[in-house]
Amino acid sequence: MDSLWHASVIVLVLLFIGGSDANPAARRHSQLDVNHKKQPLQTFRPYNIAHRGSNGEIPEETAAAYLRAIDEGTDFIETDILASEDGHLICFHDVTLDNTTDIASRTEFAGRKRTYEVQGVNMTGWFTVDFTLRELKSLRVKQRFSFRDQQYNGKYNILTFDEFILIALHADRVVGIYPEIKNPIFINQHVKWSGGKKFEDKFVETLLKYGYKGKYMSEDWLMKPLFIQSFAPTSLIYISNITNAPKLLLIDETTVPTQDTNQSYYEITSNGYLAFIRKYVIGIGPWKDTIIPPENNHLGPATDLVARAHALNLQVHPYTFRNENSYLHFNFHQDPYAEYEYWLREIGVDALFTDFTGSLHKYLEWTAPHQNKEKKCRGPPA
């Protein structure tokens, strides 16, 4: 496995010489039918979504994290999309660079620290929107969590959206992509594109450049599988006018309103709102603890959100599943496979976002190698 992974890294480096977002050579890749005659995406069982890559092992949203996830069997690689000062789309989770790069040690950027309002809260730090792509590429990424492996810190840089797409397209089988339109209000306030274009326009233009289009399960979609996600309902509605690719509305915890419409959790999970938003999305992506609220780190009674969503033919892709004991409720007895079992077979969700792609792939191979299992909803494990 390691030798295969290192070989993939070498191939990727060669691709990136001509595949940068800033390089016109990247357009040549959009003409290639790179998924022709590859092993197709599996669609008969719940999807394994590599949350920011295999970031339980390797720093998030890096080429190495995505390559590891592909080697480990993921169905989709997931990323967050932000923008640089000069309008390039990048793969990065936070609007600030503080938590997962070496920006604080870079003396040449000491004067770039700013305070901006983000989703109604003043934040201070080094923001992606104050750096050019070239400057962002000079930074090195580090592991977000101190309890995870630190040996890869400083080895990888920030990816462009184009580079992320090329990783999926040049995999040895069909691998889907699952990008998130991140903080669109903030990005549109601070980054301006020519011709009055918005963040959402540039996002969809990039997808179309590489041939990502088509309704869920269409021939186009199966060739280049894609889910678009956002916490901003207005962004999803806006892009519905320029692409028919499947979209999911992300749902935060119960105390957090939507970032663009200021609606409460209870408003956007009501039957009326779900019936409205299903005109634009094919599913929802809730934080898992809103589906089954915990009490003292034990699972409480499950809500009816999954059942109500399924009654409207909406998929449910909860986030985020992590193997560490600190993230596993006591009911699962320190066993991530027991957690997968409960959510996939008992609650019956349609996909999982996970930081540990390899373990979820093993579970799926052991339990559903050829066909879907019956989905039920019972009480939590004892």
Side-chain angles (χ1 to χ4, degrees), residues 11-240:
V11 170
L12 190 66
V13 169
L14 294 174
L15 290 171
F16 282 179
I17 290 174
S20 167
D21 184 43
N23 193 323
R27 295 186 180 88
R28 289 199 298 269
H29 295 292
S30 67
Q31 308 304 317
L32 299 178
D33 187 8
V34 293
N35 284 343
H36 183 60
K37 295 184 179 179
K38 288 185 179 181
Q39 177 185 339
L41 178 76
Q42 71 78 22
T43 58
F44 61 86
R45 65 189 183 193
Y47 294 126
N48 179 339
I49 306 165
H51 180 243
R52 308 180 206 169
S54 189
N55 84 90
E57 302 175 76
I58 299 173
E60 65 188 50
E61 317 234 18
T62 60
Y66 292 122
L67 288 167
R68 176 65 62 85
I70 291 170
D71 281 349
E72 290 177 337
T74 192
D75 299 313
F76 289 84
I77 52 175
E78 188 263 355
T79 190
D80 306 278
I81 304 300
L82 292 170
S84 65
E85 181 183 51
D86 50 349
H88 294 286
L89 302 188
I90 61 168
C91 299
F92 205 75
H93 181 269
D94 301 351
V95 292
T96 59
L97 298 159
D98 305 39
N99 291 328
T100 57
T101 76
D102 61 351
I103 187 70
S105 65
R106 300 292 292 273
T107 57
E108 70 269 36
F109 298 134
R112 301 280 188 93
K113 186 176 277 194
R114 300 285 187 272
T115 298
Y116 293 132
E117 182 181 310
V118 183
Q119 293 179 232
V121 177
N122 284 336
M123 292 181 60
T124 299
W126 288 274
F127 289 81
T128 68
V129 295
D130 292 324
F131 293 81
T132 66
L133 178 61
R134 184 179 296 275
E135 290 171 331
L136 291 172
K137 282 287 190 181
S138 74
L139 302 176
R140 290 297 175 266
V141 179
K142 64 181 180 180
Q143 176 59 252
R144 180 181 294 272
F145 298 112
S146 61
F147 51 81
R148 289 182 174 170
D149 194 349
Q150 304 296 306
Q151 68 171 308
Y152 301 107
N153 291 352
K155 293 187 176 182
Y156 308 111
N157 62 8
I158 294 172
L159 289 177
T160 65
F161 192 14
D162 291 65
E163 290 169 337
F164 167 82
I165 289 172
L166 291 176
I167 291 172
L169 289 181
H170 289 88
D172 60 2
R173 57 188 171 83
V174 175
V175 173
I177 61 172
Y178 208 129
E180 177 183 346
I181 306 170
K182 198 76 177 179
N183 294 98
I185 291 177
F186 178 81
I187 295 299
N188 280 317
Q189 286 173 340
H190 292 273
V191 181
K192 303 301 177 184
W193 287 274
S194 62
K197 290 183 178 179
K198 299 170 58 175
F199 179 34
E200 291 89 344
D201 296 312
K202 299 298 293 185
F203 175 87
V204 174
E205 280 180 10
T206 304
L207 293 171
L208 293 176
K209 180 172 73 173
Y210 291 98
Y212 283 90
K213 60 184 179 180
K215 294 182 179 180
Y216 182 60
M217 289 297 178
S218 67
E219 184 177 349
D220 285 332
W221 188 88
L222 289 168
M223 286 290 293
K224 295 179 180 178
L226 161 73
F227 288 112
I228 297 169
Q229 55 175 330
S230 183
F231 285 99
T234 55
S235 282
L236 294 172
I237 293 171
Y238 179 86
I239 66 172
S240 292

Side-chain angles (χ1 to χ4, degrees), residues 269-286:
T269 58
S270 68
N271 287 337
Y273 191 80
L274 292 177
F276 160 75
I277 201 66
R278 72 188 290 264
K279 293 181 290 185
Y280 306 100
V281 305
I282 69 159
I284 57 174

